[in-house]
Amino acid sequence: QVQLVESGGGLVQAGGSLRLSCAASGRIFSINAMGWYRQAPGKQRELVAAATSGGSTNYADSVKGRFTISRDNAKNTVYLQMNSLKPEDTAVYYCNADVLYYTDSYHRNDYWGRGTQVTVSS
């Protein structure tokens, strides 16, 4: 009922920049939090950054000052601007959304995108 589609990943040299996008579509009434997580090989998935519909944001300590999350609520889209990338940022990045949708009644569910690969070479 709700799909998240990520784009913008790729290969970049250390110190470079990438911008990820994630668009949510489907039976959406509203979206509370949208965020980005990442998972490197052999590691657990971790929160990178999240933003609420009201504009509050939070970041992992490892990306503060380098990454910026933003939202376009009208388009149900979240962005992650990643600057000063480091090899340790290499991971699959997943979009996440806390969605309120309506069918015969209101329902709330957590949705994930399929992920986009970010590779930072040294």
Side-chain angles (χ1 to χ4, degrees):
Q1 289 168 322
V2 175
Q3 298 80 37
L4 302 182
V5 178
E6 302 114 330
S7 61
L11 173 64
V12 65
Q13 288 188 332
S17 298
L18 284 173
R19 187 187 193 219
L20 305 183
S21 300
C22 172
S25 62
R27 290 176 172 262
I28 297 170
F29 179 78
S30 66
I31 302 177
N32 181 19
M34 293 187 82
W36 292 94
Y37 289 72
R38 67 186 181 187
Q39 187 166 19
K43 294 187 177 181
Q44 290 188 328
R45 190 173 297 189
E46 62 175 359
L47 174 69
V48 177
T52 68
S53 58
S56 297
T57 59
N58 68 292
Y59 296 90
D61 288 342
S62 60
V63 306
K64 284 180 180 177
R66 300 188 298 121
F67 292 9
T68 302
I69 190 170
S70 60
R71 286 178 60 167
D72 184 333
N73 292 328
K75 295 182 178 179
N76 291 328
T77 299
V78 64
Y79 306 95
L80 185 68
Q81 178 66 44
M82 304 186 294
N83 298 328
S84 302
L85 282 160
K86 304 175 180 180
E88 50 264 43
D89 294 318
T90 296
V92 178
Y93 284 69
Y94 296 91
C95 178
N96 174 265
D98 178 11
V99 178
L100 183 67
Y101 64 94
Y102 184 85
T103 55
D104 55 340
S105 61
Y106 287 102
H107 304 274
R108 184 176 178 179
N109 204 359
D110 204 43
Y111 291 91
W112 292 89
R114 297 181 68 178
T116 184
Q117 177 70 46
V118 171
T119 303
V120 184
S121 63
S122 56

